[in-house]
Amino acid sequence: MTGPAAPAEFTRVRWREGYDMVEVDAFVDRILATLDGRAADPVTIDEIRNVVFSGVRLREGYDIMEVDQFLDLAVGWLSKR
């Protein structure tokens, strides 16, 4: 498998720390575009390993563990290319 068939969906959290949804969505879009070969600005494995998302607590965000697990998978997909 070279990557996901559909965009990632993450659990939304509130009242506990999560990642900023806008930042995560933009980065995931870049990952998916890179995997599809349509990225104007392809993401690199180093970028995925070093990305830092803003944390949110009082507004809705994405579950940190789920996003981190997806990023680990993305590194694996890109390393197989």
Side-chain angles (χ1 to χ4, degrees), residues 22-43:
V22 172
E23 292 176 14
V24 171
D25 287 342
F27 197 70
V28 168
D29 286 346
R30 279 189 63 213
I31 291 170
L32 296 176
T34 298
L35 291 168
D36 289 344
R38 58 182 171 77
D41 181 22
V43 70

Side-chain angles (χ1 to χ4, degrees), residues 17-20 23-25 27-28 51-55 67-68 71:
E17 190 169 8
Y19 285 143
D20 181 274
E23 292 176 14
V24 171
D25 287 342
F27 197 70
V28 168
V51 68
V52 177
F53 300 113
S54 299
V67 173
D68 290 345
L71 295 176

Side-chain angles (χ1 to χ4, degrees), residues 42-56:
V43 70
T44 66
I45 290 173
D46 284 339
E47 283 181 280
I48 296 172
R49 288 184 176 144
N50 296 313
V51 68
V52 177
F53 300 113
S54 299
V56 297

